[in-house]
Amino acid sequence: MNLNDVVVLIPYFNDKEGIRKTLASIAESVNVLIVDDGSKTPLVIDNLKAEFTRLNIFTIRFDVNKGIVAALNVGLNYALSNGFKYVARLDSGDTVIGERFSRQKEFLVGEPSVKLVGGWANFVDEDGEFLFQLKHPLHNLALASAFFKYNPFLHPAVMFDICVYEKLG
């Protein structure tokens, strides 16, 4: 699946080991936007680009820490103004299993009325040992019901059509 119109949005703050782990886990060739939220020591982007050549890495850097909401909003505006159709989310330190981005995009393309997809997540401890799997509902009715209790979409496991952001902000 061609992922040229997908950007993976990753907010970043003082976690060089985590961002390397995250980028190393991405097996697919995809665009990655890292928004550095005022880290004390900025990332050396040229080093990341040389190390992870299958990724098309872009960065935005804040001079001071503004928080994850500001970082994500700037990233979304970047995605919108640069013609990306889909935005996938990851957090620094998280890992991707398999071809998550291709599978999510394939679903969105195949179901044009669906604008947001999520995913399950494996939680691990600091040593990488499996703790549990978070499984949110899969079907529309169960998802709608879940919204009354909690958000059934794990932020760093979603992909959505940018038109949603364009329409709703």
Side-chain angles (χ1 to χ4, degrees):
M1 165 96 16
N2 182 323
L3 297 172
N4 289 338
D5 56 353
V6 175
V7 65
V8 179
L9 175 55
I10 305 173
Y12 169 84
F13 183 71
N14 292 331
D15 186 18
K16 287 184 180 180
E17 184 178 315
I19 197 69
R20 280 199 153 69
K21 174 184 164 188
T22 297
L23 296 175
S25 76
I26 301 173
E28 300 170 282
S29 295
V30 68
N31 301 294
V32 175
L33 173 59
I34 301 169
V35 181
D36 184 339
D37 189 14
S39 295
K40 292 178 183 169
T41 306
L43 291 170
V44 180
I45 299 309
D46 288 341
N47 292 351
L48 291 177
K49 288 180 177 182
E51 186 175 349
F52 303 104
T53 56
R54 74 190 167 287
L55 304 175
N56 187 20
I57 301 174
F58 305 91
T59 59
I60 297 171
R61 176 167 163 65
F62 295 162
D63 291 332
V64 297
N65 182 266
K66 297 180 181 183
I68 191 170
V69 172
L72 292 176
N73 284 335
V74 165
L76 289 171
N77 286 328
Y78 179 92
L80 185 62
S81 65
N82 284 277
F84 291 104
K85 179 156 176 51
Y86 302 102
V87 176
R89 274 281 291 112
L90 265 179
D91 284 328
S92 183
D94 288 348
T95 56
V96 178
I97 297 173
E99 296 181 338
R100 170 195 151 190
F101 305 120
S102 292
R103 292 180 70 193
Q104 288 181 322
K105 179 184 173 184
E106 184 177 356
F107 186 85
L108 289 169
V109 169
E111 298 288 339
S113 66
V114 175
K115 301 299 180 195
L116 169 76
V117 294
W120 292 349
N122 293 333
F123 282 75
V124 297
D125 65 17
E126 292 175 0
D127 297 321
E129 293 296 318
F130 178 82
L131 297 173
F132 65 93
Q133 187 174 59
L134 180 61
K135 294 182 177 183
H136 287 306
L138 295 176
H139 302 287
N140 212 23
L141 189 58
L143 283 167
S145 177
F147 269 115
F148 289 105
K149 301 173 192 162
Y150 62 94
N151 180 358
F153 290 98
L154 188 63
H155 220 234
V158 299
M159 180 183 284
F160 60 92
D161 189 318
I162 194 72
C163 75
V164 173
Y165 178 70
E166 187 174 28
K167 289 178 185 173
L168 303 177

